[in-house]
Amino acid sequence: MKLAILIIGVLVFIPETQGSNLIMPKELNQFAKKKGCSQVSDFFSRPGKINPPYVYGYMYGKEKNSAIFWCKRESAKNISYIIHVMVKKENKKMNKCPREIEWPNYPGGLSLVGENLMTLDGFKYLRHPKQQVSITVKAEHKTIRSEYDGVSTYFYCNNGKWIFKQTH
């Protein structure tokens, strides 16, 4: 449906939008809806510079074949923030990894850290945050970084389990 507005004798047709403006590409929003999620509509309402809530190229290969993005899932009791991993073409190295990372804190801007650029020192298991990862090897694939206002959270899939580390 289109809205018609008469402005100083000129008829202008404005497409009617469905709800809020998109803050992510349409394909990521559609993927999120299929997974029972919605975009974090107020993501850019905070002050300061912030990276977008999505990044293409998480997996090896063509950038357009994989992406990560924040979305939210609301229930009567709470709001969950989730990083989704969208993959168009499977990657054997990453097949063990769950495609969702549920996080209790408000999301930061996303970016990727290349493989071999950080060690797994100080990482903890997402499902058991008091348990430290006992290996001190370098990351073998890309690490996800969520960052806002000087606080970074790194997410890495290690042997099929998500681990994380926070820095200030």
Side-chain angles (χ1 to χ4, degrees):
M1 176 186 265
K2 294 186 179 183
L3 298 175
I5 300 176
L6 184 62
I7 302 175
I8 312 173
V10 177
L11 190 59
V12 179
F13 287 92
I14 301 171
E16 188 175 336
T17 58
Q18 303 272 341
S20 64
N21 293 328
L22 296 180
I23 62 166
M24 299 189 305
K26 190 174 182 179
E27 80 169 327
L28 298 182
N29 274 292
Q30 290 171 342
F31 185 85
K33 282 183 184 179
K34 287 180 188 174
K35 300 295 181 180
C37 253
S38 62
Q39 70 177 0
V40 183
S41 297
D42 61 348
F43 185 82
F44 289 109
S45 66
R46 298 177 289 174
K49 179 187 177 293
I50 186 168
N51 284 336
Y54 66 93
V55 175
Y56 279 95
Y58 175 58
M59 302 287 199
Y60 296 104
K62 293 182 180 178
E63 245 185 36
K64 66 180 183 177
N65 289 335
S66 66
I68 55 169
F69 63 89
W70 280 111
C71 66
K72 68 179 177 180
R73 193 173 286 146
E74 296 183 59
S75 69
K77 294 182 181 180
N78 65 355
I79 296 175
S80 297
Y81 295 103
I82 297 161
I83 294 177
H84 263 285
V85 178
M86 183 192 80
V87 180
K88 292 182 183 175
K89 292 185 179 180
E90 290 300 318
N91 182 307
K92 290 179 185 177
K93 244 185 185 179
M94 298 295 289
N95 279 346
K96 297 179 189 177
C97 300
R99 298 288 190 234
E100 290 187 4
I101 306 170
E102 192 169 338
W103 189 244
N105 302 327
Y106 196 85
L110 292 175
S111 60
L112 298 170
V113 178
E115 66 277 359
N116 297 316
L117 294 179
M118 64 186 311
T119 66
L120 302 182
D121 291 337
F123 276 77
K124 299 175 183 179
Y125 288 93
L126 190 61
R127 297 283 172 236
H128 305 284
K130 292 183 180 180
Q131 183 182 357
Q132 289 261 38
V133 175
S134 59
I135 56 175
T136 58
V137 299
K138 288 193 175 210
E140 295 178 356
H141 54 83
K142 295 175 185 173
T143 303
I144 299 168
R145 177 176 40 219
S146 174
E147 183 177 29
Y148 179 70
D149 199 26
V151 177
S152 294
T153 305
Y154 297 89
F155 299 96
Y156 183 81
C157 188
N158 183 51
N159 295 322
K161 295 179 181 174
W162 285 106
I163 57 178
F164 75 100
K165 174 181 179 175
Q166 290 187 297
T167 62
H168 302 273

